Amino acid sequence: MLMVVFVPASRWLTIALALILCCQLGIAQDDDAKAWFQQGNDALRKSNATDAVRDFQEYVRLRPASAEGYFNLGLALQSAGQLDKSLTALRKAASLQPGLHGVQMFTGIVNYKLNHLSAAHDDLVSETRLEPKNADGWMWLGVVELAQNHAEAAAASLDKAATLGPNNLDILYHRARAHLLISKASYAAMFKIDPDSWRVHEVLGQADAEAFRTEDAISEFRRALRTAPHEPGLNEELGDACWTAGNMEDADHAYSEEIKIDAANAVALYKLGSLRVTRDDAAGGIPLLERALALDLSISDAHYYLGKGEAALGKDDLAIEHFRLATNSQGTEELRIMSWYQLATLYRNLHRTQEAGEALAAFRKMKTARDQRRESKLQDQTRRRDQLPRQETIPATADLP
Amino acid sequence: MKSSEFDFHFMLQEKLMHGASFRIATAGRTTSAMLSIAVVLTAMLSAQTPSGVADPAVQQQATSHAGMATGGVHQAEFDKEHRPITAGGFIKTGPVIFLNTAEEAGLTTWHHTAGTPEKHFILEANGAGIALLDYDNDGWLDIYLVNGTTYDALDGKVTPPHAALFHNNHDGTFTDVAAKAGVTNDRWGYGVVVGDYDNDGWPDLYVTNYGKNRLYHNNHDGTFTDVAEKAGIALGTWSTGATFGDYDGDGRLDLFVAGYLEYDIKQPPLSGSKAVHYSSCQFRGVPVMCGPQGIRGELDHLFHNNGDGTFTDVSEKLGVSNPDRYYGLGALFVDVNNDGKPDLVVADDSTPNYLYINKGNGRFEDQSYASGFALNGDGREMANMGIAAGDYENNGHMDLVTTTFSDDYKVVFQNDGTGNFNDVSYKVGVAAPTIPFVGFGDGFLDFDNDGWKDLLLVDGHTYPEVDKQAWGTSYAQRPLLFHNLQNGKFELMPAVEGTGLAVVTVARGAAFGDLFNNGKIDVVINSVDHVPVLLRNVNPDRHHWVELKLIGGSKSPRDAVGATVYLTAGGIRQRGDVLSGGSYLSSNDFRVHFGLGDVATVDQVEIHWPSGAVEKLKLSAVDRILTVEEGKE
């Protein structure tokens, strides 16, 4: 079962609710009861669960019909780790006022902590009906469903939570996990049905490629293609792996095959086109890149390779036009930086000194920013590493003559 | 892997833990779906096109920026015997251009040593340079080989390895006279450069070290005296490439010294230590020695020759001190814009190169980026090591070639005549064959005396670990000779078994010169932990040639460093320069060599002296070495 620590976000929620309930005590109370209630809230705020329990117990002794009192007592008992008593108090609060804001959610959380998953589930379903816009409610429901191994239900609940709380790290974490479990189950089912299917090999190839096990990826994609030689996408993936491994001929062949199968695959056209330009075959690459752009204008990186290609063919004006387009904000940062450099080179060779200077300045500015980010990242890594205990062995050294 | 034995679920789990993610293919399109925290981080670091697909070309480069590597991963190349192409690819029969005659010449009595064979630290891996000079003025080139040392030697526990000064015996053999000459150095040596800094007509040596450098003043009697401290140029950091040149035109050779790393031998950069980023201690994911990336670079130094045996450090004043702390290696004073003033180029490792244009009046202008020399044609830094300078197109423009790391091509920078450069490496046919090699020493030479400068690179990896991987590269590597096809392109000459081009060592410094006074340019190589290699030029051509030994007048450096010679013969106008430094931490024969092909007469020789004087001569004969003194025909 997935155990979840009562995270700080929930604690603050508790305090907030206690404060709200404090404000909801609009009816006149005698001074003693009021003081116990206030004291209990103060203790909760200071995370002093023991005192909070005592204070709220005194309060409900004086005010036995107060749903709010039992609710806060339940929260205090939960904080003190007295889960059974907490559950009792929360249920009392719910019986006194079934629609009390938050009571279902916290009852569900305590039940979850007591491993009463079925009861927890019922409580949290009630909560989400009562408070359909409460992201935390949906999150907790998802957490319980994960604990019950109901990954798909959990994914639905957590998707809902994420819609309501898109910046909540806890929600995002649990949601990712739920979807991961669904994926794993799906892949396991795939394997069970047909362990040698092309889909299985494709997935393994993708995993290998992402883990930079390029030769293994190539092998898996080739296996997939043996079974499904006309399946769109497989040759493209093979081409990617071959290129990463530096097997340019094979990459070229793979992309070409992909385009035969799927002539409208703009990405494959772009990749083959850029590969050919890189391999000094501008005449072969340019038409492919133009076709890619005609199909999908968003592949603005194609302009970089078109620029390279046109420059290689001596068509400097066209090259400049393409490099200019490649410097727009849609493209990959690396290619935008390189485009500025290509422009600087072209302008310099054309004796357009001012434009060369401007392009070079833009290149250097972007490059410096990128290098500084990289350096910063390395320094962060070093700082984190330095915080770890380690042992260094220094070889015998000597003074310089 | 048999599917029936294979637990798909656990395999996926394992792949996930190693940073896998899954792309879901739909009708030929691909999109990314993040399924684990590791994947999220991986994807954040990957290059993505707007369509959501990683650009393989950029992704290939994304694996770099570790250690010395700046390029992406390239395909492994093997020969028919499945040897990496860097230590294989030989043919049984073919043109015999060079033979390794180091043993017959007596050079193998000496051995380079640096640290341990395992190369745990970068200090041990960079190797050393070599100089060709006629130290005793007997008309024959001698050889100075720089040596490293060991930790025990530095500690005083063992006798340190010595540098060698091989005296040319004029009969094809050499004798080591370093001890007698007083030039053993006995420090952790790197580079050497020749220059007659005091204009007394005898070549002096400047040796760079990790630690204090040496200025060996030639005493004219076969011995030298170290006057570096007295001269104010001993430094005491990690110095690498050096070059003499008269930057201010006062007739005296000034000295530029490149700096490499701030390195504390007592606290060497270990992976995981404070001295270095941990990511700088791996190559293609394999742990290797750390650096240079992640380690702070050293400053460069320019010393003005005061004319009285002392020098003044003018680096900061003239803006050539390298405040960005790039990792300097090869350095060379060379006139790249034909204005008669020596400019300064520095090959920097894993960082942009420097090109300082000499504006006269003792001023330099940093034109590194504007000229196109800082980076390669893609706008990327490379691990530049050596510099070759030569006019390979016979158009009067000084072109440059820098050697770089493996998984990266070696760069041919074509000079447009104004000191601006274009990367034409692929266009001229040099790029592709050089990718698996780690290049160090390089130089232009007309090996077949046809009047067109060819190109030789010597190679050797820095990581012994590569021998355990199937990457298509090797620790010890063979040299590469590119023959000039006379149409702006080069072709790689085959490595015939048993010949010099099939010698496989961990090469570093290389110096070029006519060791046997026969008009053929030979090459001496200083290899890490190895005996020297002497590539004796035995090319069977019968082409004509001429060599000019220049002596400067009262307003030029006496050894004519900085002079440019234009020789016209057979309809071709060739250019040769007297240069001190270049290659990798080395120094070449000062005599300017010209191949003449089948032409037996020279139409004209035009010498641009460092003083600014221009002289035109007719040569009396070819196939000989002629001495020309400024102002005296």
Side-chain angles (χ1 to χ4, degrees):
Chain A
M1 186 185 74
L2 184 68
M3 292 299 297
V4 175
V5 174
F6 190 50
V7 295
S10 298
R11 179 167 68 81
W12 284 113
L13 178 60
T14 306
I15 292 168
L17 280 172
L19 288 172
I20 290 165
L21 286 169
C22 173
C23 297
Q24 284 176 343
L25 290 173
I27 54 172
Q29 300 180 35
D30 61 60
D31 287 344
D32 280 348
K34 195 173 173 182
W36 284 117
F37 194 90
Q38 190 61 49
Q39 209 165 286
N41 286 343
D42 289 342
L44 260 185
R45 212 174 288 125
K46 289 175 191 167
S47 301
N48 189 340
T50 309
D51 286 354
V53 166
R54 177 204 63 208
D55 296 336
F56 287 120
Q57 279 174 334
E58 280 303 311
Y59 178 77
V60 299
R61 187 180 63 76
L62 295 168
R63 288 281 178 270
S66 168
E68 296 86 350
Y70 278 104
F71 178 76
N72 279 16
L73 174 59
L75 296 183
L77 285 164
Q78 192 273 161
S79 292
Q82 298 179 49
L83 297 178
D84 287 315
K85 290 181 180 174
S86 169
L87 190 62
T88 303
L90 288 168
R91 281 189 176 139
K92 179 75 175 174
S95 70
L96 289 169
Q97 190 177 329
L100 184 62
H101 179 65
V103 72
Q104 293 293 344
M105 187 172 81
F106 284 99
T107 307
I109 291 170
V110 174
N111 265 322
Y112 166 75
K113 288 191 168 189
L114 286 167
N115 284 331
H116 303 158
L117 296 182
S118 186
H121 184 267
D122 291 344
D123 292 328
L124 289 163
V125 166
S126 299
E127 170 65 21
T128 56
R129 283 190 190 132
L130 281 169
E131 307 271 357
K133 291 198 189 310
N134 180 4
D136 281 325
W138 285 105
M139 181 187 80
W140 279 105
L141 176 58
V143 165
V144 169
E145 284 163 340
L146 276 173
Q148 292 177 306
N149 285 323
H150 298 156
E152 299 202 8
S157 301
L158 290 161
D159 282 345
K160 185 80 181 171
T163 306
L164 294 164
N167 298 320
N168 185 318
L169 288 181
D170 296 322
I171 291 172
L172 292 172
Y173 168 75
H174 292 300
R175 178 175 175 239
R177 205 163 171 286
H179 285 283
L180 174 63
L181 289 169
I182 292 173
S183 295
K184 283 173 67 176
S186 193
Y187 290 125
M190 276 170 65
F191 176 69
K192 202 171 169 188
I193 292 165
D194 183 358
D196 206 24
S197 86
W198 68 269
R199 280 286 187 198
V200 167
H201 288 299
E202 184 189 21
V203 163
L204 290 173
Q206 289 165 349
D208 282 323
E210 289 288 345
F212 295 107
R213 287 191 292 267
T214 321
E215 293 302 325
D216 290 344
I218 290 170
S219 193
E220 290 295 346
F221 290 132
R222 288 200 195 282
R223 275 179 163 153
L225 277 164
R226 273 202 287 274
T227 318
H230 304 294
E231 185 61 34
L234 282 178
N235 278 292
E236 185 187 334
E237 290 177 295
L238 173 61
D240 290 347
C242 289
W243 193 340
T244 305
N247 301 345
M248 302 311 198
E249 296 265 358
D250 290 350
D252 190 301
H253 179 76
Y255 290 136
S256 299
E257 290 299 305
E258 179 64 37
I259 290 162
K260 280 181 199 165
I261 294 167
D262 183 1
N265 184 339
V267 173
L269 284 163
Y270 159 73
K271 287 175 179 175
L272 182 56
S274 55
L275 175 66
R276 287 190 175 168
V277 167
T278 304
R279 299 186 78 207
D280 222 19
D281 177 14
I286 288 172
L288 295 165
L289 293 163
E290 287 170 343
R291 270 168 62 192
L293 274 174
L295 286 165
D296 186 348
L297 277 174
S298 71
I299 309 180
S300 56
D301 283 344
H303 286 294
Y304 173 80
Y305 292 102
L306 279 164
K308 289 276 279 183
E310 299 292 3
L313 295 176
K315 298 178 183 173
D316 291 340
D317 288 337
L318 265 178
I320 286 172
E321 196 182 303
H322 283 296
F323 283 131
R324 279 269 173 215
L325 287 166
T327 59
N328 73 41
S329 61
Q330 302 296 317
T332 308
E333 187 193 30
E334 197 64 29
L335 292 181
R336 278 186 285 129
I337 293 173
M338 285 155 72
S339 294
W340 280 116
Y341 191 76
Q342 299 303 326
L343 279 168
T345 302
L346 275 170
Y347 284 135
R348 186 184 69 229
N349 290 340
L350 292 169
H351 306 291
R352 288 158 69 169
T353 314
Q354 187 175 338
E355 285 158 298
E358 287 165 0
L360 189 62
F363 163 75
R364 291 192 71 177
K365 187 176 172 190
M366 285 188 71
K367 182 179 176 303
T368 302
R370 182 207 58 199
D371 292 347
Q372 282 171 351
R373 278 199 308 275
R374 277 185 186 159
E375 182 59 30
S376 205
K377 209 176 275 183
L378 281 173
Q379 283 173 6
D380 281 344
Q381 287 169 348
T382 307
R383 259 195 298 276
R384 281 198 295 274
R385 179 202 67 200
D386 286 346
Q387 286 161 8
L388 297 172
R390 70 195 177 281
Q391 203 167 27
E392 285 185 29
T393 54
I394 312 284
T397 58
D399 288 323
L400 294 166
Chain B
M1 174 171 73
K2 292 183 182 175
S3 300
S4 59
E5 298 162 359
F6 165 74
D7 187 334
F8 188 70
H9 181 87
F10 284 123
M11 176 60 81
L12 275 185
Q13 185 65 36
E14 185 200 47
K15 287 177 195 287
L16 282 170
M17 283 168 63
H18 287 98
S21 76
F22 298 86
R23 290 211 289 263
I24 298 165
T26 52
R29 310 288 184 268
T30 57
T31 57
S32 291
M34 310 309 169
L35 295 180
S36 73
I37 300 293
V39 166
V40 171
L41 294 174
T42 303
M44 281 163 65
L45 292 170
S46 300
Q48 297 279 329
T49 66
S51 58
V53 178
D55 184 308
V58 181
Q59 199 170 43
Q60 201 177 43
Q61 290 182 25
T63 59
S64 70
H65 295 278
M68 294 179 182
T70 55
V73 171
H74 283 265
Q75 180 178 7
E77 275 187 70
F78 297 92
D79 67 7
K80 287 173 190 160
E81 280 91 44
H82 204 71
R83 289 175 297 202
I85 201 68
T86 50
F90 309 130
I91 58 173
K92 299 259 183 234
T93 56
V96 179
I97 301 166
F98 291 105
L99 288 174
N100 180 11
T101 61
E103 190 171 351
E104 298 93 303
L107 299 185
T108 54
T109 54
W110 182 86
H111 187 282
H112 176 271
T113 302
T116 64
E118 293 78 24
K119 304 302 172 212
H120 294 302
F121 302 105
I122 194 169
L123 190 70
E124 307 169 57
N126 279 13
I130 176 169
L132 299 182
L133 73 158
D134 181 8
Y135 82 94
D136 55 353
N137 273 337
D138 64 359
W140 293 78
L141 276 183
D142 311 297
I143 305 168
Y144 184 80
L145 289 146
V146 181
N147 212 336
T149 191
T150 62
Y151 299 106
D152 282 346
L154 285 179
D155 223 6
K157 290 178 187 169
V158 298
T159 306
H162 305 307
L165 175 61
F166 279 102
H167 174 258
N168 192 328
N169 300 325
H170 316 171
D171 60 0
T173 68
F174 296 78
T175 303
D176 185 0
V177 298
K180 183 172 147 200
V183 291
T184 54
N185 192 32
D186 290 359
R187 290 179 181 165
W188 207 314
Y190 283 93
V192 58
V193 67
V194 178
D196 181 7
Y197 78 94
D198 58 350
N199 284 340
D200 63 2
W202 295 80
D204 310 297
L205 286 166
Y206 185 77
V207 181
T208 62
N209 293 313
Y210 172 69
K212 294 195 178 197
N213 300 330
R214 305 265 194 196
L215 175 61
Y216 284 122
H217 174 256
N218 193 324
N219 300 323
H220 319 169
D221 60 359
T223 69
F224 292 77
T225 303
D226 179 12
V227 297
E229 295 265 21
K230 187 169 142 199
I233 53 175
L235 288 173
T237 54
W238 187 347
S239 303
T240 47
T243 175
F244 279 107
D246 181 12
Y247 78 85
D248 59 346
D250 63 1
R252 295 188 289 262
L253 288 178
D254 309 297
L255 175 68
F256 175 85
V257 184
Y260 193 55
L261 298 179
E262 281 191 0
Y263 189 96
D264 183 354
I265 202 168
K266 295 192 177 88
Q267 291 192 65
L270 281 165
S271 182
S273 71
K274 283 193 196 307
V276 66
H277 294 304
Y278 71 86
S279 65
S280 299
C281 307
Q282 50 176 292
F283 176 63
R284 290 200 185 194
V286 171
V288 293
M289 66 180 187
C290 300
Q293 293 183 36
I295 304 174
R296 191 161 136 102
E298 245 322 323
L299 295 170
D300 296 339
H301 294 272
L302 175 61
F303 295 104
H304 174 257
N305 189 334
N306 301 325
D308 59 0
T310 69
F311 291 76
T312 301
D313 192 334
V314 292
S315 322
E316 277 191 41
K317 183 174 150 197
L318 298 190
V320 300
S321 65
N322 178 29
D324 290 324
R325 302 275 179 162
Y326 295 158
Y327 310 126
L329 286 174
L332 185 64
F333 272 113
V334 57
D335 182 6
V336 298
N337 58 358
N338 294 350
D339 64 356
K341 295 188 282 291
D343 309 299
L344 179 58
V345 295
V346 187
D348 288 315
D349 186 359
S350 308
T351 42
N353 294 323
Y354 280 118
L355 168 59
Y356 300 106
I357 294 292
N358 189 334
K359 306 300 285 181
N361 296 325
R363 290 179 302 118
F364 283 95
E365 189 175 277
D366 185 347
Q367 291 284 313
S368 312
Y369 279 91
S371 69
F373 183 65
L375 308 172
N376 72 358
D378 291 328
R380 185 166 49 79
E381 297 98 332
M382 303 146 292
N384 301 282
M385 322 278 201
I387 304 174
D391 176 15
Y392 77 89
E393 293 181 286
N394 283 335
N395 60 5
H397 307 158
M398 187 58 92
D399 308 298
L400 301 171
V401 176
T402 59
T403 45
T404 63
F405 212 68
S406 57
D407 289 335
D408 211 347
Y409 62 88
K410 313 306 166 263
V411 193
V412 179
F413 289 101
Q414 182 192 53
N415 188 335
D416 71 356
T418 67
N420 287 327
F421 294 88
N422 284 307
D423 176 354
V424 295
S425 316
Y426 275 99
K427 193 168 140 190
V428 303
V430 165
T434 57
I435 289 174
F437 294 82
V438 179
F440 278 88
D442 58 341
F444 282 103
L445 74 163
D446 185 358
F447 79 85
D448 56 355
N449 282 337
D450 65 357
W452 294 82
K453 288 178 178 55
D454 312 295
L455 176 66
L456 181 85
L457 321 174
V458 303
D459 311 292
H461 219 286
T462 53
Y463 306 133
E465 292 84 350
V466 299
D467 282 342
K468 295 178 191 157
Q469 309 294 332
W471 291 338
T473 191
S474 55
Y475 186 48
Q477 300 181 351
R478 59 181 168 93
L480 296 169
L481 176 66
F482 288 93
H483 179 231
N484 192 329
L485 296 176
Q486 306 181 18
N487 59 359
K489 293 184 190 290
F490 292 88
E491 71 170 351
L492 180 64
M493 297 304 288
V496 178
E497 266 179 18
T499 74
L501 293 182
V503 170
V504 175
T505 64
V506 186
R508 296 289 185 262
F512 299 71
D514 183 2
L515 282 168
F516 306 104
N517 286 346
N518 59 0
K520 290 190 176 298
I521 299 299
D522 313 292
V523 188
V524 189
I525 303 171
N526 194 350
S527 298
V528 171
D529 298 336
H530 202 267
V531 296
V533 173
L534 169 48
L535 295 184
R536 179 162 187 168
N537 188 335
V538 297
N539 194 63
D541 71 271
R542 296 207 176 265
H543 290 145
H544 297 291
W545 56 276
V546 70
E547 283 172 24
L548 302 178
K549 178 182 169 172
L550 302 185
I551 299 175
S554 59
K555 294 185 179 170
S556 296
R558 188 150 171 89
D559 55 10
V561 165
T564 299
V565 181
Y566 296 95
L567 182 144
T568 307
I572 301 170
R573 187 173 186 253
Q574 299 181 50
R575 170 179 173 167
D577 291 60
V578 181
L579 300 174
S580 161
S583 184
Y584 178 72
L585 316 190
S586 299
S587 204
N588 300 321
D589 184 356
F590 279 179
R591 296 171 300 186
V592 187
H593 169 271
F594 296 97
L596 302 174
D598 295 324
V599 171
T601 55
V602 171
D603 299 326
Q604 180 178 273
V605 169
E606 186 179 306
I607 303 176
H608 293 237
W609 295 98
S611 63
V614 178
E615 285 187 86
K616 294 184 184 179
L617 328 161
K618 289 276 187 204
L619 297 185
S620 54
V622 298
D623 298 332
R624 60 199 61 210
I625 302 167
L626 301 167
T627 299
V628 183
E629 194 165 344
E630 184 178 358
K632 297 177 186 175
E633 189 146 350

